[in-house]
Coordinates of all heavy atoms in Angstrom, one line a residue:
S50 N -2.8 -25.8 20.1 CA -2.0 -24.9 20.9 C -2.8 -23.5 20.9 O -3.6 -23.3 20.0 CB -0.6 -24.6 20.2 OG 0.1 -23.6 20.9
P63 N 9.8 -12.3 14.2 CA 8.5 -13.0 14.3 C 7.6 -12.2 15.2 O 7.9 -11.6 16.2 CB 8.8 -14.4 14.9 CG 10.1 -14.2 15.6 CD 10.9 -13.2 14.8
L99 N -8.9 -1.6 22.4 CA -8.0 -1.0 23.5 C -8.8 -1.0 24.8 O -9.9 -0.5 24.9 CB -7.6 0.5 23.2 CG -6.6 0.6 22.1 CD1 -6.4 2.1 21.8 CD2 -5.3 0.0 22.5
M100 N -8.2 -1.6 25.8 CA -8.9 -1.7 27.1 C -8.3 -0.7 28.1 O -7.3 -0.1 27.8 CB -8.8 -3.1 27.6 CG -9.5 -4.2 26.7 SD -9.3 -5.8 27.4 CE -10.6 -6.7 26.4
L134 N -39.5 -15.5 29.7 CA -38.4 -14.7 29.7 C -38.2 -14.0 31.1 O -37.1 -14.0 31.7 CB -38.4 -13.6 28.6 CG -37.2 -12.6 28.5 CD1 -35.9 -13.4 28.4 CD2 -37.4 -11.7 27.3
G137 N -37.1 -16.5 33.7 CA -35.7 -16.9 33.5 C -34.8 -15.9 33.9 O -33.7 -16.2 34.5
L146 N -38.2 -8.4 33.9 CA -38.4 -7.4 32.8 C -38.9 -6.0 33.3 O -38.7 -5.0 32.6 CB -39.3 -8.0 31.8 CG -38.7 -9.1 30.9 CD1 -39.8 -9.7 30.1 CD2 -37.6 -8.5 29.9
S158 N -29.0 -10.8 26.5 CA -28.4 -12.1 26.3 C -27.0 -12.2 26.9 O -26.6 -13.2 27.5 CB -28.3 -12.5 24.8 OG -29.6 -12.7 24.2
T187 N 0.2 -5.4 31.0 CA 1.7 -5.8 31.1 C 2.5 -5.0 30.1 O 3.6 -4.5 30.4 CB 1.8 -7.3 30.9 OG1 1.1 -8.0 31.9 CG2 3.3 -7.7 31.0
E202 N -17.5 0.6 19.2 CA -18.6 0.7 18.3 C -18.7 -0.5 17.3 O -19.8 -1.0 17.0 CB -18.6 2.0 17.5 CG -18.8 3.2 18.3 CD -17.6 3.8 19.0 OE1 -16.5 3.1 19.0 OE2 -17.7 4.8 19.7
E231 N -26.5 -24.8 28.3 CA -25.4 -23.9 28.5 C -24.3 -24.4 29.4 O -23.2 -24.2 29.1 CB -26.0 -22.5 29.0 CG -26.9 -21.8 28.1 CD -26.3 -21.3 26.9 OE1 -25.2 -20.6 27.0 OE2 -26.8 -21.6 25.7
L247 N -8.4 -25.8 19.3 CA -9.1 -24.8 18.6 C -10.2 -25.3 17.7 O -11.3 -24.7 17.6 CB -8.1 -24.0 17.7 CG -7.0 -23.3 18.5 CD1 -6.1 -22.6 17.5 CD2 -7.5 -22.3 19.6
K266 N -26.4 -17.8 10.3 CA -25.2 -17.5 9.5 C -24.8 -16.1 9.5 O -23.6 -15.7 9.6 CB -25.4 -18.0 8.1 CG -24.2 -17.8 7.2 CD -24.4 -18.3 5.8 CE -23.1 -18.2 5.0 NZ -22.5 -16.9 5.0
N275 N -16.5 -11.7 9.3 CA -16.4 -10.3 8.8 C -15.2 -9.6 9.6 O -14.5 -8.8 9.0 CB -17.7 -9.6 9.0 CG -18.8 -10.1 8.1 OD1 -18.5 -11.0 7.2 ND2 -20.0 -9.8 8.4
G298 N -9.8 -13.4 20.9 CA -10.5 -14.6 21.3 C -10.2 -15.8 20.5 O -10.0 -15.8 19.2
G307 N -10.5 -18.4 9.9 CA -9.7 -18.1 11.0 C -8.4 -17.4 10.6 O -7.9 -17.5 9.5
L308 N -7.9 -16.6 11.6 CA -6.7 -15.8 11.4 C -5.5 -16.7 11.0 O -4.6 -16.3 10.2 CB -6.4 -15.0 12.6 CG -7.4 -13.9 12.9 CD1 -7.0 -13.1 14.2 CD2 -7.7 -13.0 11.8
L312 N -3.5 -16.2 7.5 CA -2.2 -15.8 7.5 C -1.3 -16.8 6.7 O -0.4 -16.3 6.0 CB -1.6 -15.7 9.0 CG -2.1 -14.5 9.8 CD1 -1.8 -14.6 11.2 CD2 -1.6 -13.2 9.2
G316 N 1.1 -16.4 3.0 CA 2.5 -16.7 2.8 C 3.3 -16.7 4.1 O 4.6 -16.9 4.0
A321 N 2.9 -23.7 15.7 CA 2.5 -23.8 17.1 C 3.6 -23.7 18.1 O 4.7 -24.2 17.8 CB 1.8 -25.1 17.3

Side-chain angles (χ1 to χ4, degrees):
S50 178
L99 287 174
M100 296 179 165
L134 180 56
L146 287 170
S158 290
T187 301
E202 289 86 355
E231 295 292 311
L247 301 178
K266 184 182 185 304
N275 297 347
L308 297 180
L312 286 168

